[in-house]
Amino acid sequence: MLYFSRWKTVSIWAVVLLGLIFAAPNLFSQSTLDALPDWMPKRSMTLGLDLQGGSHILLAIDRQDLIDERLQSARDDIRTMLRDAKIGYTGLSGSGRTIQVRIREANEVDKAKEALNALVQPVTANLFGTGSITEMALEEPEPGLLRYTLTDEGIDYRVGTAVTQSIEVVGRRVNELGTTEPIIQRQGVDRILVQVPGLQDPQRLKDILGQTAKLTFQMVDQTMPVQEAIEGRPPAGSSVLYSQDDPPVPYLIENRVIVSGENLVDAQATFDQQTSEAVVSFRFDAKGASRFGQATQQNVGKLFAIILDNQVISAPQIREPILGGTGQISGSFTVESANDLAVLLRAGALPADLTIVEERTVGPSLGADSIAAGEIAAMIGGALVLIFMVVAYGSLGIIANLALIANVAMIIAILSVLGATLTMPGIAGIILTMGMAVDSNVIIYERVKEERRSGRSLVQSLDAGFSRALATVVDANVTTFIAAVILFYLGSGPVRGFAVTLAIGIVTTVFTAFTFTRWMIAIWLRRARPTQIPEGFVKLVPDNTSIPFMSMRKYAFTLSAILSIGTAVLFMTKDMNYGVDFLGGSLIEVQAKAPAADAGDVRARLGELNLGDVQVQEFGSQRELLIKIESQGGGDNAEQSAVEKARLALQDDYDIRRVEVVGPTVSSELAWAGTMGVIASLVAMLVYIWIRFEWQFGLGAVISTLHDVIAMVGLYVVAGIEFNLTSIAAILTIVGYSINDTVVVYDRVRENLRKYKKMPIPELLDLSMNQTLSRTVLTGLTTLLALFALYMFGGEVIASFTFAMIFGILFGTYSSVFVAGPLLILFKLRPGAAEAESKTPVPTTAQPSKP
């Protein structure tokens, strides 16, 4: 196994060198990369919004708005069609999803159905014309009464079409802002995800996205005073609309639309030559110019209104016919607001209202701080792991370190080639991979030492160590990979970035452990010709330990039972500190412009806004505060209103560094997805271990891992740490790590079951635990070293995430020995063997016989 042909050597080094080459662009600036030849790779990792600043906004189509609009258009169609057919009707009305009309003459009912047949005609449901749906269904509950109802598939068709159109409109609006590489894509059935990295003014983006931008030109009804219309009833065919002024000015507007925004071909922000005020110049197409010219020619001296989203922008007087198809909109604009209106008009109107149901915004200053913290944590964590491996294994540790460097380079290369987004949790995933990647080498090295102690030669020990460790490493990493895959599919945002990094790290770890590490050891054997396995500078676990773990199982079970029951009681009696991800509401991180923030003053300011429960706490330095505003209970738009009020109240004295807003709809979905993620990962691992081992192993691994999940929940309850999306990521990662640890132990138990067919289970479990103890300690320590670096230097935002991971690693290691092992006795892995415990004395040193 330690022989490598030339083509294998070339292949291994080709993969490693490609990893180094494609990872290299991340070390250089963009100007340096531009100077390189075109054939050189220049693509670097995309930094997430939490690292470079920007906005993540999830928009939802208002289904009810589409339904109401479709019913209104259907009502107008029915009125027009029946009038054109000269059919008398009465009682044209609509409610919910239904419109009905009564035909006056019984002998004209069939004629009316024929005239209205277009309403129930199938429409093409996709671009390829291969499917069709019926938008409206006709019923006649009584003679002469025609009832048209919107079908479910008709509504879904309208929603799907609206989402497609909205993506185009939103894309044009965002691109007009001059941002770089925005991501705009459909999410689910009725939602649109907008991610704009490096955005300097997130509020402007929200303002741009929040407007439907339906522009119309309509005449002002001057037949009666507007105040009289407000106090009484407007004339038929007219409505009262208000201006954008403060206070708003009412206008009586004719419902008839002269020209709409669909007829605009261009809009630009300019300045009025006479007043030097900012205005918006527009130009109509031929049809719009003709209609506008005709209307102004017929209404010289009258007022006409320019209306945007049912608000009057301005209502100038028509002094002379406007025949050129051009004009300008004035209305007390600033330069920026005129630019924004021009952007909206050029991009076109949205087919329906879009509601912001989730927002995660990070200011550029916080992004820069996160990058610096992540780099420091990565360097310190990496250095600690590298030093530790040399201390523990000597020259073999150097080989493991070279494999680790190649491993990290390949992770970065794959992330760069895939165009994946690196987030702060993604950096945590890389650091965690650095700790866990060492595990494969530790398993191999410890196995080699065992083989050497059993009397094999050095070459035989190395060969057998790699061969026998293969199944263990694969099983352990596959179970962690399952957790990463489930985390990716059920997670969102930064959590997905963590899952992607972890999954890639697992694949590269297996490759480097069994190809690159093995090749370097083969070269070392050939060149150095050693006679003994190199020893480290410190031996953390003595050889041939014989700790009676199983004799302590009753105490361990008692302790675990007390902790589990206590956690359940606390969970039911004490409220967890749920974050906005699960409760809904808003989270705002601010930084004082003064040398120190005043939490009391901020609390008092926000208390005057009637926003409900507002929590203000110090966060990080003395200049920073974290503000939590409870869910407003008035739907998704109410959450945005609360954040806007808070921003206006604080903007003079504080910089807004981070905003997270989760509406009630999304928060319930996130809670469900998080719960299902934990359950699904446990079930998937149970199935895998059941197939690979036996049912007792699968059930034991899942129960011990569930025990770790309960302990993690207990930590969040007792410590009061905020429970949010990253907490789910921490729990699922610990699920993967814990079951990884358990599988390594179980793999040795399975091997020993084949060797010692008559050994009592408790004695066999003690033997297996002692044989894997060195690996358990070394892997735990390397992972903890990386996590401690992340906790100390990774920044406040990720500190609670890392703290929970440290606790989980410690508790997962405990459960692998004191819970997962004894459960095999409880499940009678070898029937009758448990009783042998009282008959067969346990030897002080359990040693396998020489093969």
Side-chain angles (χ1 to χ4, degrees), residues 21-32:
I21 291 170
F22 280 94
N26 293 278
L27 301 175
F28 303 101
S29 64
Q30 190 58 48
S31 58
T32 304

Side-chain angles (χ1 to χ4, degrees), residues 104 183 196 296 343 526 566 697 717:
R104 287 200 180 105
I183 298 172
V196 186
T296 55
V343 166
R526 190 180 309 160
F697 289 101
V717 174

Side-chain angles (χ1 to χ4, degrees), residues 568-625:
V569 172
L570 283 173
F571 183 77
M572 291 184 289
T573 57
K574 181 181 177 182
D575 292 334
M576 281 187 75
N577 182 18
Y578 289 107
V580 296
D581 293 325
F582 299 133
L583 287 180
S586 310
L587 181 147
I588 308 172
E589 183 183 338
V590 299
Q591 185 179 64
K593 296 177 181 178
D598 188 341
D601 176 59
V602 170
R603 198 176 291 112
R605 291 192 202 184
L606 299 181
E608 297 173 356
L609 302 179
N610 298 319
L611 299 177
D613 182 33
V614 177
Q615 301 175 24
V616 182
Q617 64 190 60
E618 293 184 0
F619 185 77
S621 72
Q622 61 180 357
R623 294 180 59 199
E624 295 171 344
L625 295 174

Side-chain angles (χ1 to χ4, degrees), residues 21-91:
I21 291 170
F22 280 94
N26 293 278
L27 301 175
F28 303 101
S29 64
Q30 190 58 48
S31 58
T32 304
L33 294 175
D34 292 339
L36 295 175
D38 292 338
W39 55 268
M40 290 284 289
K42 301 180 181 181
R43 190 170 189 175
S44 57
M45 286 184 294
T46 303
L47 296 181
L49 302 182
D50 54 351
L51 292 178
Q52 64 170 317
S55 286
H56 162 111
I57 294 177
L58 187 61
L59 303 163
I61 288 283
D62 190 331
R63 293 177 71 92
Q64 191 58 48
D65 181 47
L66 283 175
I67 293 172
D68 294 342
E69 187 176 281
R70 183 68 186 98
L71 286 179
Q72 179 62 47
S73 65
R75 188 183 296 114
D76 293 341
D77 290 342
I78 290 173
R79 184 183 294 112
T80 301
M81 291 174 181
L82 292 180
R83 284 180 179 175
D84 291 346
K86 297 181 171 54
I87 298 172
Y89 65 92
T90 186

Side-chain angles (χ1 to χ4, degrees), residues 53-314:
S55 286
H56 162 111
I57 294 177
L58 187 61
L59 303 163
I61 288 283
D62 190 331
R63 293 177 71 92
Q64 191 58 48
D65 181 47
L66 283 175
I67 293 172
D68 294 342
E69 187 176 281
R70 183 68 186 98
L71 286 179
Q72 179 62 47
S73 65
R75 188 183 296 114
D76 293 341
D77 290 342
I78 290 173
R79 184 183 294 112
T80 301
M81 291 174 181
L82 292 180
R83 284 180 179 175
D84 291 346
K86 297 181 171 54
I87 298 172
Y89 65 92
T90 186
L92 178 58
S93 61
S95 62
R97 295 163 53 174
T98 300
I99 282 184
Q100 62 183 28
V101 62
R102 185 177 295 278
I103 307 302
R104 287 200 180 105
E105 302 295 333
N107 59 352
E108 290 188 329
V109 173
D110 290 339
K111 183 180 177 183
K113 289 180 182 179
E114 183 65 28
L116 301 176
N117 188 52
L119 295 175
V120 295
Q121 286 297 307
V123 296
T124 302
N126 58 51
L127 295 174
F128 305 102
T130 56
S132 61
I133 56 100
T134 302
E135 276 197 89
M136 305 193 84
L138 171 62
E139 294 178 305
E140 191 174 357
E142 57 183 81
L145 182 65
L146 304 182
R147 181 175 294 165
Y148 293 88
T149 303
L150 281 172
T151 62
D152 290 334
E153 57 267 27
I155 295 173
D156 291 341
Y157 165 72
R158 286 281 167 179
V159 169
T161 303
V163 169
T164 302
Q165 294 173 353
S166 297
I167 289 174
E168 295 178 4
V169 173
V170 167
R172 288 196 293 267
R173 291 184 184 181
V174 173
N175 289 329
E176 288 277 3
L177 293 178
T179 56
T180 56
E181 298 183 359
I183 298 172
I184 302 160
Q185 60 190 27
R186 180 191 297 261
Q187 189 169 91
V189 177
D190 58 355
R191 293 179 183 171
I192 300 170
L193 175 64
V194 180
Q195 289 186 337
V196 186
L199 187 66
Q200 300 295 319
D201 189 358
Q203 187 59 40
R204 187 182 178 201
L205 173 66
K206 289 197 294 182
D207 292 340
I208 288 288
L209 296 179
Q211 295 190 54
T212 309
K214 289 185 177 179
L215 181 74
T216 58
F217 295 80
Q218 298 169 230
M219 296 304 300
V220 176
D221 189 340
Q222 297 175 274
T223 59
M224 68 184 299
V226 65
Q227 196 60 38
E228 186 178 326
I230 294 173
E231 295 172 355
R233 186 175 180 180
S238 295
S239 304
V240 176
L241 298 179
Y242 292 85
S243 72
Q244 296 178 326
D245 301 310
D246 188 16
V249 178
Y251 290 90
L252 185 60
I253 306 296
E254 294 182 7
N255 294 340
R256 181 174 61 91
V257 174
I258 300 172
V259 188
S260 69
E262 295 175 357
N263 300 115
L264 281 178
V265 293
D266 190 26
Q268 298 290 337
T270 58
F271 292 95
D272 188 292
Q273 294 182 355
Q274 297 179 351
T275 64
S276 297
E277 293 180 345
V279 296
V280 177
S281 297
F282 61 84
R283 180 163 55 89
F284 289 122
D285 59 17
K287 181 180 178 182
S290 174
R291 294 180 64 179
F292 191 63
Q294 184 179 7
T296 55
Q297 200 168 25
Q298 295 171 354
N299 293 282
V300 172
K302 296 182 180 180
L303 302 177
F304 79 98
I306 302 172
I307 300 167
L308 181 70
D309 291 343
N310 289 324
Q311 286 187 306
V312 179
I313 297 177
S314 61

